[in-house]
Amino acid sequence: MFTSEIGVVEEWLSEFKTLPETSLPNYATNLKDKSSLVTSLYKVIQEPQSELLEPVCHQLFEFYRSGEEQLLRFTLQFLPELMWCYLAVSASRDVHSSGCIEALLLGVYNLEIVDKHGHSKVLSFTIPSLSKPSVYHEPSSIGSMALTESALSQHGLSKVVYSGPHPQREMLTAQNRFEVLTFLLLCYNAALTYMPSVSLQSLCQICSRICVCGYPRQHVRKYRGVSSRIPISSGFMVQMLTGVYFAIYNGEWDLAQKALDDIIYRAQLELYPEPLLVANAIKASLPHGAMKSSKEGTRCIQVEITPTSSRISRNAVTSMSIRGHRWKRHEQPESSCAAAAEAGILVIPEISVTHVSGERTGNGEKGRALGDIDAQHMQGVQETATDPRSESRGLPELRRQKSVRKMMEDGMSTAGRVQF
């Protein structure tokens, strides 16, 4: 480390000790903008023999148990690097040089497994059902789902998975090591959206190193330092995949894709089914060549969501439109009727199946000369006679039309009397 970096860390250590409690929120807000401090702290953690490592770990733990949300997230961003340093020291059998890091990890773990009242936490997760739509899938695209008796009996039921309560730990051993580290990585993944890019880069790098150290791929990746194999559990690899999957779509495409390949490589060697299933599913869903740069910022996953509005077109053929089209008649404009009346032409009212439009000519009223009769109107009269629904209702109108037609055939030119 350079002298300037050591000075930045020492100033940070002394500043927090003299800080009053009333100034803690403002201090926590401004802390995340100090990029030079974050870089210097990473270098301190990466040097297990550094004299500043112990006071730095102690202050990070004070941040975590202060109750301030910003200070808690500030400590969480160093969690992947802290876990890598602990695993690397454990693999080299030099346990004494990782005492402060182990104490910090245990302190964070013991704080997270209890609530603010000191009671053990029980985490729950509801497994989504494929029969119900979500932002990730449509049930119709999966295929037909036969409703069996067992499926009907379980309709509406959801499966809930519980985690906990977790026991308190006083020290890390080979037996409980990955139980603690898996839970800590779960806490880190819960705050992924608040993690800066430098923390996501550290996560991807330690995932690759843990998976390939001691194997032939280490020479391909050109990783130096630790050459012995680091034991790893299946649950820990699944949690690593959660963070890597987030990093893929949030500006770290290159590092995250490399970490994904290394996790698949290690899962195949260990024959772990859970990491293989999750990793292959992630790899199959990745776009091919769509994200070549890792500096383009936050990305998103494109999914097709079912629209809330109806897709039925306004011009769609429905039963109502067919009924209206079938019984629609061309109405004669009122203006033409008035003009025909002034010219002495007999105006024949239009006949409808359900009602009679116009006024009926009464008995004894003088008729007027007949004009041209609309061919479509006469065709509609014939259709009316064949419709069984209108036989009872349109009988008087039908008789009237027959008498009018007879008068036209006889060639009457003078006004006559219409009989009903």
Side-chain angles (χ1 to χ4, degrees):
M1 291 182 63
F2 297 103
T3 307
S4 58
E5 296 173 343
I6 296 176
V8 171
V9 176
E10 290 178 347
E11 182 182 357
W12 170 70
L13 292 171
S14 59
E15 182 183 5
F16 182 73
K17 294 178 181 179
T18 60
L19 190 70
E21 294 184 1
T22 55
S23 304
L24 196 61
N26 294 332
Y27 172 79
T29 304
N30 299 329
L31 193 62
K32 63 180 181 180
D33 299 329
K34 298 181 179 180
S35 58
S36 59
L37 173 62
V38 174
T39 305
S40 301
L41 290 177
Y42 268 107
K43 291 185 178 180
V44 171
I45 296 173
Q46 293 168 0
E47 295 182 6
Q49 307 299 333
S50 175
E51 297 179 356
L52 295 175
L53 181 59
E54 184 175 352
V56 164
C57 291
H58 182 269
Q59 184 144 316
L60 289 176
F61 179 70
E62 291 294 331
F63 278 9
Y64 203 87
R65 69 174 185 176
S66 64
E68 188 67 32
E69 194 69 25
Q70 296 289 343
L71 295 180
L72 185 145
R73 294 170 185 166
F74 184 82
T75 302
L76 276 180
Q77 69 177 324
F78 300 103
L79 205 57
E81 196 69 33
L82 288 168
M83 287 190 291
W84 161 249
C85 293
Y86 169 75
L87 291 174
V89 171
S90 300
S92 61
R93 308 296 182 180
D94 189 7
V95 184
H96 299 287
S97 61
S98 64
C100 55
I101 296 179
E102 179 180 346
L104 175 58
L105 295 176
L106 280 173
V108 174
Y109 168 81
N110 290 326
L111 286 176
E112 282 293 336
I113 63 175
V114 295
D115 55 15
K116 60 182 180 178
H117 301 293
H119 303 294
S120 299
K121 288 182 181 179
V122 178
L123 305 178
S124 61
F125 175 76
T126 303
I127 299 179
S129 175
L130 293 178
S131 61
K132 297 180 180 179
S134 69
V135 296
Y136 298 104
H137 79 288
E138 285 288 344
S140 58
S141 62
I142 299 177
S144 61
M145 295 184 179
L147 290 178
T148 60
E149 184 177 355
S150 60
L152 289 174
S153 62
Q154 297 178 0
H155 181 69
L157 300 179
S158 58
K159 186 177 180 181
V160 182
V161 179
Y162 297 96
S163 174
H166 298 276
Q168 294 266 346
R169 299 295 182 185
E170 297 181 357
M171 62 179 301
L172 291 178
T173 62
Q175 192 173 11
N176 63 19
R177 179 179 301 154
F178 280 99
E179 178 186 349
V180 174
L181 295 181
T182 301
F183 183 80
L184 290 176
L185 199 54
L186 174 65
C187 298
Y188 175 84
N189 291 334
L192 273 175
T193 54
Y194 305 102
M195 295 297 104
S197 59
V198 62
S199 182
L200 296 179
Q201 293 172 9
S202 174
L203 173 68
C204 297
Q205 290 172 357
I206 69 109
C207 288
S208 294
R209 291 174 183 174
I210 292 174
C211 291
V212 303
C213 280
Y215 291 92
R217 182 170 284 200
Q218 182 178 3
H219 303 288
V220 179
R221 300 300 189 197
K222 297 180 181 180
Y223 292 147
R224 298 178 181 179
V226 181
S227 58
S228 57
R229 298 181 182 180
I230 299 177
I232 193 172
S233 67
S234 175
F236 187 77
M237 296 183 71
V238 173
Q239 293 301 326
M240 286 196 303
L241 286 169
T242 304
V244 169
Y245 187 44
F246 180 84
I248 287 176
Y249 292 95
N250 287 273
E252 304 300 333
W253 168 263
D254 297 329
L255 286 175
Q257 193 177 26
K258 185 185 298 183
L260 178 62
D261 294 336
D262 292 337
I263 293 174
I264 294 177
Y265 171 78
R266 181 64 181 271
Q268 291 174 345
L269 294 175
E270 299 286 353
L271 296 179
Y272 285 152
E274 292 86 359
L276 281 174
L277 177 63
V278 177
N280 287 323
I282 293 175
K283 191 171 184 178
S285 65
L286 294 180
H288 299 285
M291 302 178 185
K292 297 181 180 179
S293 175
S294 61
K295 305 298 181 183
E296 297 180 5
T298 304
R299 304 184 185 279
C300 60
I301 303 175
Q302 297 180 357
V303 293
E304 182 180 356
I305 303 177
T306 304
T308 55
S309 60
S310 176
R311 289 186 177 182
I312 300 178
S313 173
R314 295 183 178 180
N315 299 326
V317 179
T318 61
S319 58
M320 293 297 296
S321 63
I322 294 176
R323 188 181 297 113
H325 179 75
R326 182 177 180 182
W327 303 112
K328 183 178 180 181
R329 297 293 181 265
H330 297 282
E331 297 181 357
Q332 188 175 8
E334 295 180 0
S335 58
S336 60
C337 294
E342 293 178 359
I345 301 175
L346 177 63
V347 178
I348 301 176
E350 185 176 350
I351 305 302
S352 176
V353 176
T354 56
H355 66 279
V356 179
S357 62
E359 296 181 359
R360 179 179 295 182
T361 306
N363 293 334
E365 183 181 354
K366 292 183 179 182
R368 294 184 177 87
L370 292 175
D372 296 334
I373 305 300
D374 191 356
Q376 295 181 0
H377 176 72
M378 301 307 297
Q379 183 179 0
V381 175
Q382 295 176 1
E383 293 178 357
T384 305
T386 59
D387 190 357
R389 295 181 299 177
S390 60
E391 288 184 359
S392 59
R393 293 181 294 180
L395 188 58
E397 288 82 3
L398 183 60
R399 292 176 179 176
R400 176 175 174 275
Q401 294 297 330
K402 288 182 178 180
S403 62
V404 171
R405 185 185 299 176
K406 185 176 180 180
M407 293 168 60
M408 291 176 58
E409 292 176 354
D410 294 341
M412 296 180 61
S413 59
T414 60
R417 191 178 301 272
V418 181
Q419 302 294 332
F420 290 90

